[in-house]
Every structure is written in structure tokens, then in C-alpha cells.
Amino acid sequence: MAVAVSRRQAATYPRIFGRRIRLRAPSPQYYFLIPMAVFSILPIVYIVSTAFKPLEELLLFPPPFFVRRPSLDNFTDLLLATNALAVPFSRYLFNSIFVTLTTVLLQVLVCSMCAYPLSKARGLPGTPFIFGMIIAALMFAPEVTAIPRYLVVQKLGLIDSYAALILPGLAWAYGLFMMKQFMDNSIPPELIEAARVDGASEWTIFWRVVMPNVAPAWNTLIIFGFIAHWNDSFSPLVFTRSEAMKTVSVAMIALTNGAGSIARQGAAAAAAFLMTAPTLIVFLLRQAKVIQTMAHSGIKS
Amino acid sequence: MATRPEVFVPARPAVQAQRSALARFWAKWGIYYLFMAPFLALFAVFVVAPVLTAAYLSFTYFNVLEAPRWIGWSNYKLLFLEDDVFLIAIANTLRFATLTGPVGFFMSFIFAWLINPLKMKTLLALCFYAPSITAAVTMGVVWKIVFSGDRYGYLNNWLLRIGAIDEPYQWLAEQASIMPVIMFVALWMSMGTGFLVFLAGLQTVPSDLYEAGKVDGISNPLQEVFYITLPMIKPQLLFGSVMAVVQGFSVFGIATALAGLPSPLYAGHTIVAHLYDFAFIRFEMGYAATVAVILFIWTFGLGRLLMRIFSSKNEY
């Protein structure tokens, strides 16, 4: 009976390119979520649409939300402006990519390595104190620690080096707190105990048992870290002196804040678009991994 | 066979007694300290040292150019007894944080939970996270057009057209509307950190738990949330709530992007805006550090409270 019904239904599916397409009413959540999502993504739409606006549309007031006659003028303007830069644009790009990737990878590694004992080594002396300090660090307004941090970087003789751009960001209280919270509940102690009985070293346990089980956590952390460091213009402005050490975020400010800022509005819009694009790509790549991991980690207790 | 243990057994405790307490301690815990060493070393140099320096600065007069001069508690006295603007900033920040903190936290969880079972979730996650990707300044630009005080502002234009108002309303200049507008935009931005962390947390809940729950008589999704999902992502909830508190009380970027610094009649002035004003506009670093210490004590107290609420006694 049930089989007969489903067969009759199957026969009524419309065919597109010879395949039966299953048309189902979407889940009720969509009716609520899609309008909210559209509302939420407006700033990205605005940035993209503004990047393609010709100058006369940029100067309209009130600015139209959507571009009417899209043009690539802004991008050519930006490209022309880069000729005036002290060093080739590729140098800024290299600095940005190198600093961001190194920082994010080391950051995730350093934070995860510290989170593992804090979460899983029961009775390790000093744990509550260390964890308390990390939470405290999270709550101290970063605005006032900026100058003392500059003094530290200067005392260490790191000014104007890649180390000055990378090292201060590695001990990330936020990242450690997050990794520890994920390890607390996602990894059953029996799993670690079993690996230990099998003769695995702590290092092996960390790489083979702990990290695969908290893959959603570090993939999310990569998103946070990438966005923060890619957009960061404060560290390169403060910690480096020579033009060859600056990053794209700084170059973009120089390009768009230059003389005659009205004429540069188009370049600024193009710059905003180009700065946002990599973060969107990294987000999509990593978020897809966050969601995938569920299917792969079948070793839950 | 039987003689062997007799030879070796007495030797063992003797060897162990010879090893110092330190060596035994190291053998047991050393590897863990090595795991933590890179973080702790960097943390001490680049975080603890600057924070302690800043705390010390709160007892000094420091204008960045001259060496700090010790002045004891006078910054603190000044802050509470004579700085009326700081009291306004506290009131505004409290209003902001008590509303946007909890509401943002619950919204983040509900949205993460709603989109988790859907096929389009990566795309939806991108949409909801989008406001956090773009910088506060960019969003300030977009929202300023919406809330612009003339008749061309999107909101005024629309309200005039439907006849709700007769003349344009100064959304970002009237004392009564500045804070609500900031809160509205902040809520729109609130699907940030917490949202992504909850979404990731939901991935770590083993799916067989839900099946086991069904066998044990869980019949509706609401029961599933309360008996399985929430207990399983308790650590992520703690993280999300602490971040909501920290972000709520350190609101600054979006407030100044919308209302300016200083805002009209200080209606959009927040604690961190006050701090920023003294640190980078008046260059009174000592006073700014005092504001930071007060803010720190307050958020840290709340953080401890949250940790007590979410402390997971039912760990594996």
C-alpha cells in the first residue's frame, strides 16, 4: 500500500533534462530565515554595488543603494593610484598574505596546544590560575594596552620586522578560551585514555585524537583570525616604519585618504570591495569545513 | 621465576626515593607544561606585561610625552566624584549591554539552531555573519544613510511617504533616539562570534545522542533542545555569554560611527568612547587607564558570575 502510494507520487515529479526533480515545500524555517538573511547581508550588497558605481552615481545624494550603470572605472582608478605608491603593490600584497597566514596558523596551533592540558590534564597544578588570567586578559580594554605593547615590542628590538607583526597576536586569549571550551565537552576522556593505553605519546594524542575532534572549533577560529588580521591596519602602522613592511590594509588607507578625497571615493569603494572579497572566500571555505566535519568524525563515544 | 622479583623488588623504591620531588613532578606534568609553554611565554610578554603596565598607569599622570608621574588615587577620585560625562557613559553602556547582551546571545543561539539542520546553512551562515565581516566604519556609512536626518534618509523618506511623520526626524541628533538606533544596529550585528561558535558547537554534538534520546522518550524538538542540545554545548554557551558581556560593555566602534565622538549631548557616549577620548584625543593615558581598570573590574565580576551559572558539573 505504502509502496504503491510513493510510486504514484514519484510518477508525478516533473522531469527536467530527463531527471525527475523532487519538488517539496521548503521547511517552514525558511520563511522566517530568508528575509532575515537578506536583511543581514545588505552591507555586503552595498559594498559590492558601490564598487561598480561610476563617479556621478557615487556623488548622488542620497546615494542609491544599487548601482544603475555598472562600470569598472573605480578599479582602474585604484590601479592608477597604485603607481604613486612607494613600493610595488605586490609587496603589500605579499606582506599581507604572509603575515596573515603565518599569524593565523601559529595562533591556532599555539592556542590549541595550550588549551589541551588546560582542558584535559586533570589536577595539573596552576590550571585555575592560568585560566583565570586568560579570562581576565579578555576583559581588559585593548585600547589602553596598545601603548605598553608598543613599548614591549620596541624593547625587544622587533620594530620594523615581521616578528613585530606576527608575535604579539599569537597569545590570543580569545582563541585559547574558545579551544578549551570545545575540548571540555567534545572529547570524552575515555578516548584519550584509550589512545594512551595503546602507547600513543601526548603529542600523537594531541594531533590524532584531540585536534580532529575539535575540527569545527579550529576552522571557526581560522575564520575569526583571518578576518581580524587581514583587516588589521593598526599593527603595521604602529610596529613598522619602512614602506616595504606595510600591508594592503595600510596601502588602502594611503590610497583612499590621499589628496582630493572626493575624486578618490571611487577608488575607496573599489578598495573596500577588494579588501572584503578574500575574507568572504576564506569564510565560505572554512565554514564548509566546519559543517563537513560532522560526517567525518565518527569516533564519538 | 620466583627468584627474580626478590632481586628487583627492594631496588625499585630505593631508586624512586633518590629521584627528587621535582623530577617526579616533571615526569608527571612536564609534558603538559611544554604544551603550554609557547602560549604562556608569548602571553606573559605581549599581554600580561602591557596589562600590568596599564594598571600601573592608572595611578599616574601620563601624557605619553613625559615619563608617568605617580599621583596615587586621584584619577579614581576624579573619575567618580567630578567626571559627570563618565556617569553618562556608564548609564549608556549599562542600557546598551543589558539589552543587546542577552538579546544578542539568545538570537545567536536560536538562529544557529534553526539553520543547523538546513541544507543551505553555509550560505545562510554567511548572510548572518556578514555584518561582522565588514568593518564598523563601512556599516556606519550604510546605516547613516538609512537614519539620515533629512528627508532623503531612507527611513525618513519612507515614513514621510506613508504619512507617519510630517517632517524629517533627526534620528542621530535627537537625544531620545541615538541610543535606540545604536542598539538596533548592534543587534543586527550581533550574529557574530557567538553565532559561529554555537553553529560549530552544534556540529560536535554526536548524532547518536539524538537517536538515543528518541528511544528514551523525547518526543518534540523543544525537549531535544533542553535535554540534549543545551547540556551538550554548555561550554560554547559559556564562551558565547562571556563574549556577549565583553562586547556589550566595550561597545565603541558602532556607537561613534553612527553618533560621532563626542555625540550630541553625550547621548551615544559609552565607557570605551570615554576611554578613547582621553587616550587618543586628549592624550591623558593615566586617566584612560583608570577607566579601563574600572571597566575591567566590572566585566570580570560578571564573567565570574556567568562561569558559576554555566559551570559544567556534568562533564564526561
Side-chain angles (χ1 to χ4, degrees), chain A residues 138-145, chain B residues 79 85-94 96-97 179 245-257 260-263 266 268-282 284-285 287-296 298-299:
Chain A
L138 212 61
M139 292 167 173
F140 209 89
E143 284 83 0
V144 282
T145 56
Chain B
L79 192 62
V85 179
F86 182 60
L87 297 181
I88 297 175
I90 290 184
N92 283 337
T93 309
L94 273 177
F96 178 88
M179 217 48 206
V245 166
V246 172
Q247 283 162 0
F249 283 96
S250 58
V251 53
F252 164 62
I254 195 68
T256 47
L261 181 72
S263 45
Y266 293 106
H269 206 61
T270 64
I271 296 180
V272 176
H274 201 60
L275 187 160
Y276 185 90
D277 184 12
F278 278 93
F280 298 111
I281 296 174
R282 305 177 201 215
E284 287 190 35
M285 262 307 177
Y287 197 69
T290 312
V291 178
V293 170
I294 299 296
L295 179 65
F296 166 73
W298 176 242
T299 48

Side-chain angles (χ1 to χ4, degrees), chain B residues 79-154:
Chain B
L79 192 62
F80 280 110
L81 300 179
E82 280 163 52
D83 193 343
D84 295 338
V85 179
F86 182 60
L87 297 181
I88 297 175
I90 290 184
N92 283 337
T93 309
L94 273 177
R95 264 175 77 195
F96 178 88
T98 45
L99 183 91
T100 60
V103 174
F105 176 77
F106 284 115
M107 266 168 53
S108 296
F109 174 74
I110 288 167
F111 278 81
W113 178 70
L114 277 179
I115 75 167
N116 190 46
L118 304 179
K119 277 213 178 96
M120 285 166 63
K121 60 181 160 180
T122 306
L123 199 66
L124 284 171
L126 174 69
C127 293
F128 290 124
Y129 192 65
S132 308
I133 294 180
T134 43
V137 184
T138 323
M139 284 189 301
V141 173
V142 179
W143 285 107
K144 258 183 159 161
I145 304 164
V146 174
F147 290 109
S148 173
D150 51 46
R151 50 179 46 250
Y152 300 112
Y154 291 151

Side-chain angles (χ1 to χ4, degrees), chain B residues 1-305:
Chain B
M1 197 62 195
T3 54
R4 273 200 163 181
E6 276 169 49
V7 177
F8 281 99
V9 164
R12 255 195 192 158
V15 169
Q16 259 184 2
Q18 274 169 11
R19 285 168 66 187
S20 68
L22 196 68
R24 264 181 286 135
F25 183 82
W26 184 253
K28 189 171 179 197
W29 302 117
I31 180 76
Y32 295 121
Y33 288 115
L34 285 179
F35 265 95
M36 298 200 285
F39 185 95
L40 293 182
L42 291 162
F43 188 72
V45 174
F46 293 108
V47 180
V48 177
V51 166
L52 291 181
T53 313
Y56 158 77
L57 287 179
S58 73
F59 294 99
T60 64
Y61 173 80
F62 181 40
N63 60 8
V64 185
L65 296 174
E66 301 162 54
R69 191 177 76 240
W70 183 265
I71 53 168
W73 291 96
S74 33
N75 280 334
Y76 289 87
K77 280 183 199 148
L78 198 66
L79 192 62
F80 280 110
L81 300 179
E82 280 163 52
D83 193 343
D84 295 338
V85 179
F86 182 60
L87 297 181
I88 297 175
I90 290 184
N92 283 337
T93 309
L94 273 177
R95 264 175 77 195
F96 178 88
T98 45
L99 183 91
T100 60
V103 174
F105 176 77
F106 284 115
M107 266 168 53
S108 296
F109 174 74
I110 288 167
F111 278 81
W113 178 70
L114 277 179
I115 75 167
N116 190 46
L118 304 179
K119 277 213 178 96
M120 285 166 63
K121 60 181 160 180
T122 306
L123 199 66
L124 284 171
L126 174 69
C127 293
F128 290 124
Y129 192 65
S132 308
I133 294 180
T134 43
V137 184
T138 323
M139 284 189 301
V141 173
V142 179
W143 285 107
K144 258 183 159 161
I145 304 164
V146 174
F147 290 109
S148 173
D150 51 46
R151 50 179 46 250
Y152 300 112
Y154 291 151
L155 184 62
N156 275 342
N157 199 310
W158 180 69
L159 287 175
L160 285 169
R161 208 179 307 157
I162 63 165
I165 49 174
D166 297 327
E167 51 187 46
Y169 185 78
Q170 301 286 328
W171 296 101
L172 292 168
E174 293 285 344
Q175 212 180 343
S177 63
I178 289 181
M179 217 48 206
V181 167
I182 294 173
M183 287 196 265
F184 171 80
V185 176
L187 278 179
W188 168 77
M189 287 172 65
S190 63
M191 295 304 145
T193 322
F195 169 69
L196 276 202
V197 169
F198 296 156
L199 201 57
L202 289 172
Q203 310 305 314
T204 64
V205 182
S207 50
D208 49 6
L209 268 187
Y210 292 110
E211 284 147 33
K214 280 205 184 93
V215 174
D216 288 348
I218 283 180
S219 52
N220 62 47
L222 212 62
Q223 283 181 337
E224 211 173 71
V225 173
F226 279 102
Y227 293 115
I228 301 176
T229 312
L230 287 179
M232 280 308 289
I233 64 163
K234 226 175 183 182
Q236 284 83 0
L237 293 177
L238 171 63
F239 178 83
S241 63
V242 169
M243 292 320 295
V245 166
V246 172
Q247 283 162 0
F249 283 96
S250 58
V251 53
F252 164 62
I254 195 68
T256 47
L258 286 170
L261 181 72
S263 45
L265 292 169
Y266 293 106
H269 206 61
T270 64
I271 296 180
V272 176
H274 201 60
L275 187 160
Y276 185 90
D277 184 12
F278 278 93
F280 298 111
I281 296 174
R282 305 177 201 215
F283 284 106
E284 287 190 35
M285 262 307 177
Y287 197 69
T290 312
V291 178
V293 170
I294 299 296
L295 179 65
F296 166 73
I297 292 170
W298 176 242
T299 48
F300 192 66
L302 273 174
R304 302 300 305 189
L305 189 73

Side-chain angles (χ1 to χ4, degrees), chain A residues 36-298:
Chain A
M36 296 297 281
V38 169
F39 178 57
S40 219
I41 203 159
L42 288 178
I44 304 271
V45 176
Y46 184 80
I47 289 171
V48 174
S49 133
T50 308
F52 293 97
K53 280 179 190 168
L55 193 60
E56 63 270 18
E57 273 183 50
L58 282 171
L59 297 179
L60 277 182
F61 195 85
F65 197 87
F66 293 104
V67 56
R68 286 172 198 152
R69 292 189 304 107
S71 86
L72 290 173
D73 290 356
N74 297 333
F75 294 92
T76 45
D77 272 2
L78 188 67
L79 203 65
L80 282 176
T82 55
N83 289 336
L85 291 171
V87 295
F89 190 74
S90 53
R91 174 78 197 199
Y92 298 108
L93 198 62
F94 168 79
N95 287 347
S96 263
I97 294 173
F98 174 71
V99 169
T100 307
L101 290 186
T102 317
T103 312
V104 171
L105 290 180
L106 288 177
Q107 198 169 52
V108 171
L109 180 69
V110 165
C111 292
S112 311
M113 275 173 60
C114 187
Y116 168 46
L118 281 181
S119 173
K120 290 298 165 203
R122 282 281 168 80
L124 178 67
T127 327
F129 173 71
I130 293 169
F131 191 56
M133 243 180 16
I134 284 150
I135 300 294
L138 212 61
M139 292 167 173
F140 209 89
E143 284 83 0
V144 282
T145 56
I147 287 178
R149 189 172 305 127
Y150 171 79
L151 296 175
V152 168
V153 172
Q154 193 190 32
K155 281 254 161 64
L156 292 173
L158 297 177
I159 295 291
D160 216 21
S161 69
Y162 284 121
L165 296 178
I166 294 168
L167 291 181
L170 294 187
W172 194 23
Y174 182 95
L176 172 61
F177 181 32
M178 196 182 124
M179 289 308 297
K180 189 217 166 248
Q181 292 308 102
F182 270 84
M183 289 177 189
D184 276 355
N185 241 10
S186 310
I187 305 160
E190 302 89 55
L191 207 60
I192 294 178
E193 212 39 61
R196 213 167 272 156
V197 168
D198 288 348
S201 68
E202 288 298 324
W203 187 244
T204 316
I205 293 173
F206 174 70
W207 279 113
R208 297 285 175 81
V209 179
V210 175
M211 289 306 269
N213 268 290
V214 290
W218 51 260
N219 275 307
T220 305
L221 210 54
I222 290 176
I223 296 174
F224 293 150
F226 186 89
I227 294 172
H229 291 283
W230 180 258
N231 289 329
D232 178 28
S233 52
F234 180 83
S235 310
L237 276 175
V238 175
F239 295 149
T240 67
R241 303 239 161 85
S242 62
E243 206 52 38
M245 292 301 295
K246 306 286 188 209
T247 58
V248 177
S249 53
V250 177
M252 290 299 181
I253 293 173
L255 285 177
T256 53
N257 270 4
S261 61
I262 292 202
R264 288 281 172 85
Q265 262 189 19
F273 171 74
L274 290 177
M275 282 302 287
T276 314
T279 55
L280 293 180
I281 294 168
V282 168
F283 180 93
L284 285 174
L285 290 177
R286 288 294 114 192
Q287 192 60 29
K289 282 263 187 267
V290 170
I291 281 152
Q292 255 178 32
T293 42
M294 195 178 186
H296 289 293
S297 60

